[in-house]
Structure formats: C-alpha cells, structure tokens
Amino acid sequence: MSSRNEGMVKVDINIEKSDLQDELDLSNLAYPRRTHRAIGNEKFDLTEPSIVASATMQKIKSSGTLIEKLFEVALQDSGILFCKSDQLVDPVPGKPNFILPKFKVAIFCDGDFWHGYDLAKQKFKNNREFWKAKIDRNIARDAEVRTALHESGWKVFRFWEHEIKANAEICINKIRDFISKIPSESSKQFTFVDLFSGVGGFRIPLEELGGKCLAFAEIDKPASDVYKLNFLGFTQSDELELGSVRDVGKLPFDEIDLIVGGVPCQSWSVAGKMKGFDDPRGQLWFDTLRIVESNLPKAFIFENVKGLLEPRNRANLNLIVSGFEKLGYYVRYDLMNSYDFGLPQNRDRIFIVGIRQDLPVSNAFRFPGPLDKNSFLSDIIEGVEVGNTADKPRFDKRDLFGTKVPMSRNRFQKLDELNDFFVFCDTRNGHSTIHSWDIVRTSRLEKEICLSILSNRRKKKYGAQDGNPLSFVALKELLPQIKQSDLDGLIAKKILRLVKGKGYEFVNSKNSSGINGIYRIYLPHSNIFSTLTATGTRDMVALRSIDASTPEEYRKKFLSEIMKPKAFRKISSKEAAKLQGFPPTFAIHKDDKLAQKQFGNAVSTCVVFHVAKSLLDSLEFCSEKASISDLKRLS
C-alpha cells in the first residue's frame, strides 16, 4: 500500500491491477446502448453492441484512471510539486491531468487506444468507421490543445499509456531534464525575505519587478503548501524556509535588499477584538522589529489593517514607527485602497515603508497615487449578466435620502446615483436597504409597525440606548389602530421579539449581521466588493444587473428580479483570488474553505506592486526587466 500527501494531492492506492478491476454489472447499464452517434457533422449508424461490450465501455473512466494514479505516485516519489488543472485560478485548454504551476508545465496521460497510438495497427471488431473518426478527432483535439497551451506559454508533456506502465520514471526524467534547463534567477535585480508569507501576495509582484526571494516564513501549513507549490516547485528546495518568525534571528545572507510581510492583523482589526499588543499576534510586531535589527535590510515594506490607524491604536502605531526609526530607518506610512490600483475591492490597508538612513536616497520615497483605472465585478465574476449601466440616471439627493444624508455612507456611494449594492438591515433605511418585512409576506399595517419602530427606536424619549425597544403603549400612541395580535404576528414571523419589561425590538438588531445570513448583495456593474476576510463575509453578488428611473422602482426590481428568484450567490475562492490580483496561473488550495481563508488573509498584489515599484525606483535597483505583460497586469 502506498500512502503519500505531497504536492497538494493525497494518494492512497494499491498498484496491483487485480484490485483496480471491478466485476462488470451486466444488468444495470448507466446509459442506454446507442445505435446512432455523431462526430462533428458526420453521423454514423452503429451495430448494436453486446451487453458485455456496453458494460465494459461504461466502466472506462475519464479521470482517475490507472495510468493517472501510476503517474501521480511517480511525481510524488520524484519530489516534484503538482496540482490538478481545476486548481488554477483560470482554466487552461484541454484539462491537463497534472499541472506544475512553478514551471508552467502541463502533463497529459494519454490512453493508447483513445488517443491513437499506432492507429494503423488498431483492429476494430465493429463500427470501424465510427471509431476511426472518433480517434482522429481526439488526435486533432490533442494537437489543438497543445498549440493553445504553447501559445499561452505552457510546456506540454504527453505520455502514452504504455510508456507510463512500462517505466513512469523515464517520463519523470524527461520533465526533470526540462526543468533543469530553465534559466537560473542569477539576473535578478534585488533580493528580499518574505515574512508572514501566506500564499505569496508579496512575492508575486516582487518577482515580477525583478526580485529574488532568499527565504520565507509561514507557520500555517496549508498556506505554506500553496506557497511552495507555486514558488518552489519541489518538496526539497535550496530556498530557506524559516517557519515561525519568533525563531528567526540573523539570517545567513551577506546583504538583504528588502524584508516584507503582512504582519498578522487580527489584534488591530475592527473585525477582531482590537486587543492590540495585548494579543500575542499583536506582539509579532516586536519580532518584526527584532528581525529588521538583526539583518538591517536596505528597506522594508510591512502591511496591516487600517485599524492600526484608529485613534485607540495611534499610540501603538507611533511605538512601531519610532522603533524602526531608532534602528536607523527613515519611515513613512499611508493608507492604500485596493480599488485605487485597479481591483474592484474596497480594501483599506496601511503600508509602512522604511529605508535605511545611511543610504543617500533614504528620504526620496513617496507613496504612489491612485491609478486612472476602474474595473468592475463583472470583469471577475463568472456567469453574470450586465445590462446597459454606462449612463446611470442622476437624482436630486433629496429624492435619494430625504432631508438628511446618512453619515455611514462611504466613498463609493455617490450623492446623485443609485447605490450599486443592496444592504440587508432592519435598523437602517434607504433606497437600497432591504428589510426582513420586505422578504417575508407582511401586511401594510405590519410594515407600518416595523417602520415606526425603525424611525423611533433611537429617540431619547424612549430610552438612552442607541436602539430602544418600544412598548405596546408607545406603539399604540404612534399607530392607534394596532392590536396585540399584530405584534404577536410579527413575533411569529421572527421579525420582532419582546424584551421583557421593555417592549418590542427587531430580531435582526445588529447591522453587520444582515438578514438570513446576507448582509449585502452587490450588482455585477459595481466597482467594488466588500473587503475579503479570513472568516468570510455575508456578502453576495447578483447574477444580473438592474436599472431603474426611480429609487422605488429600483428596490421593487431588485426584490422581483434578484431576491425572489435567488439570482445571487457567494463568490468562489478563485474569484476571491482575482479580487486580490492573483494571476490566472496561480494554483489555489484544493479545499475551497481553506482557499477562501487564505485569500482573505492575503495582501492585494496590485497594491504591493506599485508601493514596491515606488520604493525600488527611489533606491535605484528596480529591475528594468519586468515583462510588459506583468506590468500591464498589475498597472
């Protein structure tokens, strides 16, 4: 028995053929036997196959075949890290059996019969013309796939079934020979160490700018597995894996140009408990300072959540900055949003950049300004419909907000346009707010009761809380026609609840919790999605856009065209990767939940690219060899 867990794929098989052959069930065929088949535009009349022949054909697997399993084990034994093609952010032509993302290698394991090995010698008992046409089509498709992959920069290996069965190691050696001839990275323009590396959000843009990674540190094994798969390529590598930053001291390098990293942010995040240095994760900043002091790189870039800029954390931020300054660094920091660098994600992050003061250009660095580039969710999300939303109608702000514009609006909500997303919330109101009484069937009076509670719950006459329960007496004064049964009905519908001794309040009383597990639904023409987090969001994307000439029509169309038919969904882990700027050839973790967590923790690659480019330009060792395609992708 062979059991291995390397290269992101777990294999547990016995190679003995007898254990891989099933007895044929001749009485229960999965599909009816066909007497007519088509290949392209050509139709064939088939001799009706025997039951045994039909059962044999239906036992043939399109994936997970014996030769795939043999080759998978051989790859694992070789130490080459690999994944399946469906783990790539964007699919590649032909669905290769195996992908080596580090080396852009696509591997196919071709059955001798199906792919036409020595076709002239094949003997067909029945339906010769059909089978020959089918195999000819497979051969032509294989050629088309090879050409398409080559044009996309992939190296293609196709191995025959008989080759793999005879000696899979010979096939592996061909791949190793190709890898060994890939040019070394000796021409790289600068070096860097990747702390808190995650799945590589810093490394991607730094390599594209001409950097060579000397070492990386990551304690989360699933994240480091993805990192090594994409950047190292082998289970054993010369690159230094540091493990925990708590154990990192003086590194064995004569000089380090950059130290970078996304320092764990949960202790400073509004999504966390905001414990700062009282949280062990917050204390990792002290380890970061210690590593910089021990190695004195020319410069550093560290990223963290905007909570570090909150007034309650300002003293802690000053402590971090002064700590770096005492080590001899000129330090600047700024808040950068992913949206400003071409990604449709509202993601604010603080970047702290330091340059050693003994360098003549130490005070030359300036943070990059926003790019003149907008993107939309529809550029990233698969299977959405976008109507004509280029010319949005303009409104008087009084038509959208009444007499008072809500203070909670963000920079992406304009005063004269309909919002590009809908918020599910019972404690606020607006032209794109959806309440629980909009979703559940309710009468006009029940809606009036809910709106009365919404409008009056914050008034001081009903209590000192930010949201006060309203008693039956208070509600009777506001709506004389209500009865106790009306309130009981709203409780039964789980819209209201009775707080003993106080009155009635909304069940959904916390804004960020949303309703029925949904907080926001973004329309595909939106410029933004909400900030990705490790714990996920309650935000969805609609599968089609809507437009309207009035705010009232907008809400009605959303409820009828999006909400009622459930034309919305969560974003996938691959879409999360795109929202963070990860390239199409990046291989994600095969567990979708882990992949979502990893991209929620990641840094936006496009932001790093432009911050790092400004820094490298000021230090005058920025690579001039970053490819035009790389620059275009991240610019």
Side-chain angles (χ1 to χ4, degrees):
M1 183 70 71
S2 175
S3 180
R4 299 170 176 84
N5 186 16
E6 297 175 3
M8 304 298 294
V9 179
K10 183 178 180 181
V11 176
D12 190 359
I13 62 169
N14 191 317
I15 302 303
E16 294 299 325
K17 283 187 179 182
S18 59
D19 291 340
L20 295 170
Q21 292 174 339
D22 299 319
E23 256 187 60
L24 299 180
D25 181 359
L26 306 184
S27 61
N28 185 23
L29 301 180
Y31 306 100
R33 289 174 286 163
R34 289 181 282 184
T35 57
H36 304 282
R37 294 284 296 275
I39 308 282
N41 295 324
E42 193 172 359
K43 296 181 180 179
F44 296 87
D45 294 326
L46 304 182
T47 303
E48 184 173 329
S50 67
I51 293 178
V52 172
S54 292
T56 301
M57 290 299 294
Q58 294 187 50
K59 289 289 182 180
I60 295 173
K61 298 178 179 179
S62 59
S63 62
T65 62
L66 171 63
I67 57 172
E68 285 179 45
K69 292 178 179 179
L70 286 168
F71 202 84
E72 192 168 332
V73 171
L75 278 170
Q76 290 176 338
D77 288 341
S78 73
I80 298 175
L81 293 171
F82 63 94
C83 67
K84 297 300 179 72
S85 62
D86 61 2
Q87 288 176 246
L88 296 183
V89 169
D90 274 351
V92 294
K95 296 182 180 179
N97 299 107
F98 302 100
I99 292 286
L100 314 184
K102 160 69 177 175
F103 308 109
K104 284 199 77 173
V105 167
I107 302 167
F108 294 85
C109 302
D110 292 339
D112 289 357
F113 174 78
W114 298 104
H115 293 266
Y117 176 73
D118 211 359
L119 182 59
K121 294 183 179 180
Q122 286 284 3
K123 295 182 179 179
F124 303 96
K125 293 182 179 179
N126 297 299
N127 305 311
R128 174 182 175 80
E129 294 306 314
F130 165 74
W131 287 114
K132 188 175 183 310
K134 184 173 180 62
I135 294 169
D136 283 342
R137 179 67 193 108
N138 288 347
I139 293 171
R141 187 183 295 113
D142 291 345
E144 292 165 4
V145 167
R146 179 187 291 272
T147 299
L149 284 167
H150 281 168
E151 289 175 350
S152 300
W154 287 84
K155 170 65 177 178
V156 179
F157 286 96
R158 302 200 80 106
F159 296 112
W160 290 109
E161 174 184 0
H162 68 274
E163 291 179 301
I164 296 169
K165 287 181 177 178
N167 194 335
E169 188 175 348
I170 292 175
C171 305
I172 297 294
N173 287 338
K174 292 180 181 179
I175 298 171
R176 279 187 166 277
D177 182 59
F178 166 76
I179 292 173
S180 69
K181 293 175 182 176
I182 295 175
S184 68
E185 297 181 337
S186 58
S187 62
K188 294 296 186 181
Q189 302 298 302
F190 65 93
T191 60
F192 66 94
V193 171
D194 196 0
L195 303 180
F196 312 104
S197 59
V199 294
F202 266 97
R203 182 160 180 161
I204 289 167
L206 290 179
E207 285 192 339
E208 288 171 340
L209 285 165
K212 174 178 173 57
C213 186
L214 300 175
F216 71 98
E218 177 54 57
I219 61 170
D220 182 74
K221 188 178 184 305
S224 66
D225 283 345
V226 173
Y227 189 95
K228 288 185 278 190
L229 169 66
N230 284 280
F231 303 113
L232 273 60
F234 288 94
T235 55
Q236 301 296 322
S237 172
D238 294 335
E239 190 170 308
L240 194 58
E241 183 175 0
L242 302 174
S244 172
V245 297
R246 295 191 184 280
D247 302 325
V248 177
K250 178 70 177 74
L251 295 169
F253 309 114
D254 295 334
E255 187 175 58
I256 299 170
D257 292 322
L258 283 179
I259 291 181
V260 300
V263 183
C265 60
Q266 293 91 335
S267 56
W268 313 99
S269 172
V270 293
K273 296 183 178 180
M274 296 285 284
K275 289 186 175 182
F277 286 131
D278 293 332
D279 187 321
R281 293 169 295 187
Q283 295 170 12
L284 290 170
W285 272 111
F286 298 130
D287 292 289
T288 304
L289 282 157
R290 178 179 52 76
I291 293 169
V292 170
E293 182 179 21
S294 298
N295 295 279
L296 294 176
K298 289 181 182 177
F300 58 77
I301 307 173
F302 296 117
E303 176 257 14
N304 213 264
V305 291
K306 69 175 181 178
L308 195 53
L309 281 169
E310 294 281 331
R312 74 183 81 183
N313 290 322
R314 177 65 67 166
N316 293 326
L317 174 60
N318 292 340
L319 180 63
I320 293 167
V321 171
S322 64
F324 286 123
E325 289 175 339
K326 288 175 183 177
L327 298 180
Y329 285 85
Y330 172 80
V331 181
R332 294 180 70 92
Y333 60 84
D334 203 354
L335 195 65
M336 316 293 283
N337 194 296
S338 301
Y339 167 82
D340 292 322
F341 296 90
L343 294 173
Q345 183 188 178
N346 178 20
R347 188 182 189 86
D348 275 324
R349 290 294 185 266
I350 183 175
F351 281 79
I352 302 173
V353 175
I355 302 176
R356 225 169 52 210
Q357 290 177 6
D358 63 309
L359 299 176
V361 293
S362 63
N363 63 352
F365 171 76
R366 297 292 182 273
F367 277 96
L371 304 180
D372 185 18
K373 175 184 178 182
N374 289 330
S375 56
F376 302 90
L377 281 181
S378 57
D379 298 331
I380 283 175
I381 306 300
E382 299 289 335
V384 296
E385 301 174 12
V386 182
N388 181 22
T389 57
D391 298 319
K392 293 183 180 179
R394 295 290 190 266
F395 297 88
D396 187 296
K397 66 180 181 181
R398 288 171 296 185
D399 293 331
L400 292 179
F401 311 106
T403 57
K404 187 177 180 181
V405 177
M407 293 180 64
S408 60
R409 292 177 63 76
N410 62 44
R411 60 181 284 205
F412 302 103
Q413 295 168 283
K414 297 181 180 178
L415 295 177
D416 60 350
E417 285 184 8
L418 297 167
N419 292 337
D420 292 336
F421 56 89
F422 284 78
V423 179
F424 288 69
C425 175
D426 280 351
T427 56
R428 297 288 185 270
N429 206 3
H431 71 270
S432 63
T433 303
I434 303 299
H435 305 111
S436 56
W437 53 92
D438 296 320
I439 302 170
V440 177
R441 185 182 295 275
T442 49
S443 68
R444 179 175 295 181
L445 177 58
E446 287 175 325
K447 287 181 170 63
E448 287 184 20
I449 293 169
C450 293
L451 288 170
S452 293
I453 295 174
L454 178 88
S455 302
N456 291 279
R457 60 191 292 274
R458 303 179 73 181
K459 291 183 178 179
K460 293 192 182 333
K461 65 180 290 186
Y462 299 114
Q465 295 179 200
D466 186 34
N468 304 288
L470 268 66
S471 67
F472 179 78
V473 173
L475 288 169
K476 190 76 173 174
E477 289 176 356
L478 294 167
L479 296 168
Q481 70 271 38
I482 69 167
K483 302 174 182 177
Q484 182 63 51
S485 59
D486 298 321
L487 296 171
D488 293 340
L490 287 167
I491 290 174
K493 293 175 182 178
K494 298 183 179 179
I495 295 173
L496 296 183
R497 62 185 166 209
L498 176 62
V499 180
K500 190 173 181 180
K502 293 185 177 181
Y504 297 88
E505 69 175 10
F506 295 121
V507 170
N508 300 299
S509 58
K510 187 176 180 181
N511 295 344
S512 59
S513 295
I515 299 171
N516 298 335
I518 302 172
Y519 181 36
R520 283 172 289 217
I521 294 181
Y522 288 84
L523 298 170
H525 62 262
S526 173
N527 278 133
I528 61 159
F529 193 73
S530 55
T531 304
L532 299 180
T533 67
T535 54
T537 70
R538 294 182 176 89
D539 298 332
M540 313 280 177
V541 62
L543 301 184
R544 64 177 68 99
S545 288
I546 56 171
D547 55 16
S549 56
T550 67
E552 294 76 16
E553 181 191 9
Y554 198 49
R555 290 181 78 256
K556 286 180 180 178
K557 289 182 75 171
F558 176 81
L559 288 167
S560 63
E561 297 181 19
I562 306 296
M563 198 63 206
K564 187 175 181 180
K566 296 184 177 180
F568 58 88
R569 64 170 174 81
K570 291 183 177 181
I571 65 167
S572 70
S573 53
K574 293 180 181 179
E575 290 162 347
K578 294 178 184 180
L579 281 169
Q580 291 285 48
F582 279 70
T585 56
F586 190 85
I588 72 172
H589 199 284
K590 62 183 178 180
D591 184 309
D592 187 75
K593 287 185 178 179
L594 278 177
Q596 292 270 12
K597 175 185 176 183
Q598 289 165 356
F599 291 118
N601 276 330
V603 61
S604 295
T605 63
C606 300
V607 183
V608 173
F609 180 90
H610 288 282
V611 172
K613 188 175 188 305
S614 293
L615 173 61
L616 297 171
D617 284 344
S618 69
L619 289 172
E620 298 178 349
F621 57 74
C622 178
S623 168
E624 297 178 358
K625 298 182 179 180
S627 72
I628 297 298
S629 61
D630 290 339
L631 293 173
K632 283 182 177 179
R633 185 181 73 79
L634 291 168
S635 296

